[in-house]
Amino acid sequence: YQKRKNEIQERRFFPERIRRRDVLVQAFIVEYLDRRRPKLRSVRNDERYGVYWSNALGNRSLRQVIPGDIERYVATRRADGMAPASINRELALLKSVFNVAMADGLVETNPVRAVRFFRENNARVRYLTPEEEPRLRATLPPDEWPKIAVALHTGFRQGNQFRLRWSDVHFDTGLVRAHQPKSGKDYFVPMNDDLRTVLRALPSRLRSEWVFPSETGETPLDAKNYVHRVFEPALRRAGIEDFRWHDFRHTFASRLVMAGVDARTVQTLMGHKTLAMTERYAHLSPAHKLAAVQRLNRPAVDDP
């Protein structure tokens, strides 16, 4: 009784908290994923982030987590060599978890809001050069090259390519659909002759619903496993540095721009929401800039 009187006097008494259950972070992350699963685009990634946070925060309750706990986690991830963008995705997951917990009345504040996210360098443009492409191809078995070819000729994100179904490939109209892309809106990329030839030759057409199936044919090929097992060793053998699978998407856009394709068309083919996302490639198209400054040339004047 005296303790309660002191809390009231010191304004530390909050009646609404009485008999409110303390939920463990680990348990609520599981509940969060179960509730949000139908709405999440990248469930597997979020599940992985959830495991990281569950291990890091142990058996603490939601109310026990403070910004310092999260900052120490971030420092550890950076020391392990994790990229800022990857850490931001993990922070975003935990922030969303606490937002839902607040809406449920299980916690009063969101500790992630006090943690500064990293500034990401989204302007990076690394593309496969004409000299690197044959070197990479020479290090891969012939049956592995179609995966690279599809990436080069569609510009699809890794997830869209490896989850590509044959129902998304329309030979009659000559279009390939990116289903549920990052932007949230499906878009189509026309098949050029090279892409059509590659797709028609794939043995999975008659064996699986997936363009790139797993060994059983019942599920899509695991993209991350493939990259670590096949792609990255091939890069090392070819002597190609600082290159990621996502850079095939940059290669697709860069080659279009360098071929003189206008930015609006590139935006449509990339499935970008805004033109600003496409303009990172503008510096690769010097032709239209040269044409612009050529207009400053003085007209030739005939000698009298």
Side-chain angles (χ1 to χ4, degrees):
Y1 174 70
Q2 185 61 45
K3 177 182 177 182
R4 186 71 75 216
K5 286 173 56 178
N6 292 337
E7 289 177 345
I8 294 173
Q9 186 176 5
E10 296 172 5
R11 297 183 180 180
R12 293 187 293 107
F13 175 59
F14 303 97
E16 65 276 9
R17 296 184 184 177
I18 298 177
R19 296 186 182 89
R20 183 176 294 176
R21 62 192 179 104
D22 282 334
V23 179
L24 297 181
V25 174
Q26 183 175 5
F28 193 75
I29 287 176
V30 173
E31 180 181 340
Y32 167 86
L33 291 173
D34 288 341
R35 290 164 56 179
R36 304 283 291 179
R37 200 176 305 277
K39 302 178 182 180
L40 296 174
R41 290 197 306 267
S42 54
V43 176
R44 296 183 63 180
N45 287 336
D46 287 329
E47 288 176 344
R48 189 172 73 256
Y49 303 153
V51 171
Y52 296 158
W53 285 116
S54 296
N55 293 337
L57 300 176
N59 294 322
R60 300 185 193 186
S61 69
L62 292 167
R63 288 197 180 91
Q64 289 177 323
V65 178
I66 61 175
D69 297 326
I70 302 170
E71 290 171 349
R72 282 186 285 273
Y73 171 86
V74 170
T76 300
R77 297 295 277 167
R78 283 297 287 156
D80 291 340
M82 290 298 298
S86 299
I87 298 175
N88 282 349
R89 303 293 87 74
E90 296 171 11
L91 287 170
L93 183 277
L94 189 65
K95 184 176 182 180
S96 182
V97 167
F98 270 94
N99 282 338
V100 174
M102 287 179 63
D104 287 352
L106 299 176
V107 67
E108 290 73 36
T109 60
N110 188 334
V112 187
R113 292 180 179 175
V115 178
R116 186 184 298 274
F117 281 54
F118 289 100
R119 183 184 298 275
E120 298 181 27
N121 180 17
N122 293 324
R124 177 186 185 275
V125 176
R126 170 70 163 97
Y127 56 89
L128 194 68
T129 67
E131 295 77 23
E132 291 173 330
E133 183 174 340
R135 283 161 44 198
L136 178 60
R137 185 165 189 170
T139 66
L140 286 167
D143 59 340
E144 299 293 355
W145 183 252
K147 300 178 182 65
I148 308 298
V150 170
L152 289 172
H153 291 288
T154 63
F156 282 176
R157 293 180 177 86
Q158 184 185 83
N160 289 122
Q161 176 175 335
F162 282 87
R163 294 195 309 269
L164 188 66
R165 287 179 166 90
W166 283 112
S167 58
D168 296 319
V169 180
H170 306 283
F171 287 107
D172 52 346
T173 60
L175 297 173
V176 183
R177 179 177 66 166
H179 184 55
Q180 294 182 340
K182 183 178 179 181
S183 64
K185 183 178 180 181
D186 291 5
Y187 67 94
F188 293 84
V189 173
M191 281 186 273
N192 59 22
D193 294 341
D194 289 345
L195 179 59
R196 182 184 290 269
T197 300
V198 168
L199 290 173
R200 282 192 178 279
L202 289 176
S204 60
R205 283 185 66 192
L206 304 176
R207 301 177 184 176
S208 175
E209 66 173 304
W210 306 99
V211 175
F212 298 112
S214 61
E215 290 185 1
T216 65
E218 298 178 358
T219 57
L221 185 65
D222 187 301
K224 293 187 181 298
N225 177 273
Y226 179 82
V227 167
H228 293 314
R229 179 173 51 86
V230 178
F231 178 61
E232 290 177 350
L235 289 176
R236 289 192 290 269
R237 291 193 298 269
I240 299 175
E241 300 179 350
D242 188 32
F243 193 88
R244 305 168 301 185
W245 186 275
H246 189 76
D247 294 329
F248 285 128
R249 182 167 166 82
H250 292 316
T251 304
F252 174 77
S254 299
R255 290 181 177 181
L256 288 172
V257 170
M258 288 186 285
V261 179
D262 64 276
R264 285 290 181 185
T265 301
V266 176
Q267 176 189 355
T268 301
L269 293 173
M270 294 285 285
H272 284 160
K273 282 186 174 182
T274 65
L275 187 61
M277 300 175 68
T278 311
E279 288 179 344
R280 72 175 73 180
Y281 306 102
H283 69 284
L284 298 172
S285 179
H288 73 282
K289 297 178 182 178
L290 176 60
V293 297
Q294 287 283 30
R295 298 178 183 178
L296 300 178
N297 291 335
R298 295 183 178 181
V301 179
D302 295 335
D303 293 334

